[in-house]
Amino acid sequence: MSNGEVNFDGLVGPTHNYGGLAAGNLRSEENRYRVSHPRAAALQGLAKMRLVMALGIPQGFIPPQTRPNIDILRKLGFTGPDRSVLMRAAAENFNLFLTACSASSMWVANAATATPSADTTDGRVHLTPANLLSHAHRSYEAAQTFEFLRQIFPGSPFIVHTPLSEPGQRDEGAANHMRLCMTHEGPGLHLFVYGDPGDEPGSPEFPARQTLAASQAVARLHGIPSERAVFLRQNPDVIRAGVFHNDVIAMSHLNVLICHQDAYVRQDEALSEVRDKFYTLTGNPLQYTEISRSRLSVEQAVESYFFNSQLLTDAEGRMILICPEETRMPAADRVVEQIRQEDNPVFEVRYVPVRESMLNGGGPACLRLRVPVTQTEYAMINPNYLLDDKKLNRLEDWVRRHYREELTAEELRSYELFQESRRALDELMQMINGGFARV
Ligand code: SUG
């Protein structure tokens, strides 16, 4: 049963590590070469999925991708048996090698942008995998993500587009997109957030990841009418301060929008367009909460990751805010208190430990992709990618058997790790394709 929205989480892969690969993402930069804990990372992710399921919300997952990505290393000119490809690549250019090792596909808020059938001209659910062109390690995800999404969303109710391919169309998926509506089945207003308007040179220090051209292309491909779309430009100052995606400075769910005062360029104007269009579309006012910089500075927003909380509706129809543990810091605590006390539909606040992902700049919301679907569409989703308690137990057991407790950057070179990861993912795919039947 779907309550209108399915959350798909990315399963953390066995090579989860801190490569310091993401420019502009302060945590990724700070934690370069830190010892990682792949088993704990994957179990933390699964525990979050368990919590969401316990709230009565349908939960799916997207498998990790094969890493180290030997195919990429071969394409980059490293030849010979797998063992020598790994050794030579790591010896010759360790940073390049690291781009082939990242488990970054776990952050599926960057996997795709999804538009429900209620908003598309052809009445189908549209998904466009993000090309993630701004960073090499992330751009390698797009092809496999496309394949997974085609398996998860088969048949005529869904259309999975190929990722955008023009160099000027840098797309980071749902992390830069919000849909406002009264009900998931009713009409929605799509907020597409971009950092690079394409008409001026970006800051070379902290490149804006999403281009306006990409957001516009996705809106066109999905057949979203112009009265249901607003394009908001991220404030370049906050990008410089570490807000590399919109979901680090704003969040939304149904008719609720919570965002920081400094999130967008000419924010008052932009938000009044959003409010007006929302009212025209739904006949209802938007529930808008702006967090002022005096309550929470942009630096504190980045440190606490408050805006990367997951906002969702439980089976009883109550709105729940799932914050990362890191949000428990004085300034952010006060903001959470403000949300609790103000007149808005947020009913309860929960905290989840996702520290291993957080150390790479990925909070609860980064780890999930929301896909609004009708009951009929929900029934068409490949059930092997939807979770229940039994499947979740199987996945936990699988993680415990295959994942290392600790991993150093140096150990990524090891052929043994490569083999272990392959074995783990082969077994996972067998489990999925066999419908989780016990053999
Ligand atoms: O793209 N980190 C990811 C974090 C993505 C978070 N997603 C959202 N905000 N929706 C990124 O910056 C770090 C990988 C490394 O350094 O090894 C990384 O890619």
Side-chain angles (χ1 to χ4, degrees):
M1 278 282 286
S2 144
N3 65 352
E5 182 178 79
V6 189
N7 279 256
F8 283 87
D9 272 48
L11 202 50
V12 177
T15 64
H16 160 65
N17 73 95
Y18 302 109
L21 300 172
N25 169 347
L26 304 183
R27 284 202 169 82
S28 157
E29 292 178 355
E30 284 159 13
N31 292 310
R32 183 184 184 88
Y33 296 165
R34 187 187 181 111
V35 175
S36 67
H37 302 88
R39 189 185 302 167
L43 293 175
Q44 286 169 357
L46 286 166
K48 179 171 86 71
M49 296 183 222
R50 201 182 278 285
L51 168 66
V52 171
M53 279 164 52
L55 294 169
I57 298 153
Q59 178 70 54
F61 69 99
I62 302 182
Q65 302 196 0
T66 314
R67 298 290 183 271
N69 189 334
I70 206 90
D71 297 339
I72 283 291
L73 294 174
R74 289 189 186 283
K75 275 192 190 148
L76 291 166
F78 299 101
T79 52
D82 291 347
R83 188 192 289 269
S84 3
V85 168
L86 297 173
M87 257 172 50
R88 284 192 41 226
E92 201 171 298
N93 187 336
F94 194 59
N95 212 44
L96 182 69
F97 172 70
L98 285 178
T99 66
C101 297
S102 179
S104 54
S105 66
M106 70 170 92
W107 299 296
V108 294
N110 305 116
T113 308
T115 306
S117 50
D119 296 331
T120 58
T121 35
D122 62 2
R124 296 167 81 187
V125 178
H126 285 244
L127 293 122
T128 295
N131 59 29
L132 296 165
L133 286 178
S134 74
H135 286 78
H137 71 291
R138 301 229 54 188
S139 68
Y140 306 153
E141 296 166 33
Q144 181 69 61
T145 299
F146 173 63
E147 294 304 330
F148 279 138
L149 292 178
R150 289 211 317 175
Q151 284 176 37
I152 298 171
F153 300 102
S156 56
F158 308 107
I159 172 156
V160 180
H161 298 272
T162 50
L164 302 174
S165 56
E166 294 301 312
Q169 296 180 341
R170 296 195 306 274
D171 179 21
E172 303 269 324
N176 286 331
H177 169 259
M178 300 184 284
R179 177 177 187 262
L180 301 168
C181 54
M182 293 308 293
T183 64
H184 294 299
E185 297 77 16
L189 180 65
H190 295 259
L191 311 189
F192 288 94
V193 181
Y194 64 94
D196 183 348
D199 56 7
E200 55 195 63
S203 150
E205 224 185 325
F206 290 121
R209 297 198 189 191
Q210 178 92 24
T211 63
L212 172 60
S215 299
Q216 288 170 329
V218 171
R220 262 192 310 268
L221 277 168
H222 290 200
I224 300 172
S226 61
E227 66 277 12
R228 294 195 188 188
V230 178
F231 297 88
L232 296 170
R233 181 171 174 192
Q234 261 195 301
N235 176 351
D237 292 339
V238 302
I239 299 180
R240 253 173 248 122
V243 180
F244 56 99
H245 286 136
N246 177 62
D247 63 9
V248 181
I249 197 94
M251 67 174 115
S252 76
H253 177 64
L254 293 171
N255 59 336
V256 175
L257 174 64
I258 302 175
C259 83
H260 192 273
Q261 174 182 14
D262 292 324
Y264 309 112
V265 168
R266 288 189 294 281
Q267 182 144 325
D268 289 346
E269 236 173 87
L271 266 303
S272 91
E273 183 188 350
V274 170
R275 280 205 195 87
D276 290 350
K277 278 190 154 170
F278 185 79
Y279 189 78
T280 309
L281 193 64
T282 68
N284 285 282
L286 182 69
Q287 292 262 355
Y288 175 56
T289 301
E290 189 164 275
I291 308 297
S292 66
R293 67 181 82 92
S294 61
R295 280 192 172 265
L296 191 73
S297 66
V298 172
E299 288 68 28
Q300 287 164 332
V302 173
E303 202 189 326
S304 67
Y305 254 49
F306 160 72
F307 290 100
N308 207 262
S309 302
Q310 242 176 295
L311 197 49
L312 19 80
T313 306
D314 73 5
E316 317 296 322
R318 297 173 303 203
M319 219 177 254
I320 315 285
L321 185 67
I322 301 182
C323 303
E325 289 272 351
E326 286 71 3
T327 296
R328 293 185 197 265
M329 55 178 266
D333 265 349
R334 282 195 292 276
V335 169
V336 171
E337 213 32 56
Q338 174 192 348
I339 304 276
R340 271 201 178 114
Q341 280 170 12
E342 266 179 11
D343 179 26
N344 68 53
V346 179
F347 174 80
E348 196 185 337
V349 180
R350 307 284 287 259
Y351 292 89
V352 285
V354 283
R355 180 177 151 80
E356 284 290 316
S357 166
M358 281 289 292
L359 292 170
N360 251 335
C366 299
L367 289 160
R368 67 96 167 83
L369 175 68
R370 292 179 282 193
V371 185
V373 284
T374 63
Q375 288 296 343
T376 318
E377 291 154 1
Y378 180 68
M380 297 290 288
I381 295 176
N382 184 337
N384 296 344
Y385 292 91
L386 293 174
L387 287 173
D388 56 25
D389 279 331
K390 263 197 190 145
K391 290 182 190 169
L392 219 132
N393 293 344
R394 295 280 307 277
L395 289 177
E396 279 178 355
D397 169 63
W398 168 81
V399 168
R400 289 203 175 92
R401 282 187 292 108
H402 289 284
Y403 281 46
R404 292 192 182 190
E405 203 171 313
E406 277 191 2
L407 190 61
T408 64
E410 274 307 307
E411 284 163 353
L412 289 164
R413 309 169 184 258
S414 110
Y415 183 58
E416 287 64 42
L417 176 70
F418 173 72
Q419 286 180 309
E420 280 165 38
S421 307
R422 281 255 159 129
R423 270 199 299 274
L425 295 195
D426 285 350
E427 191 185 309
L428 176 68
M429 290 321 294
Q430 276 174 27
M431 200 151 69
I432 293 172
N433 294 328
F436 280 76
R438 280 212 180 266
V439 276

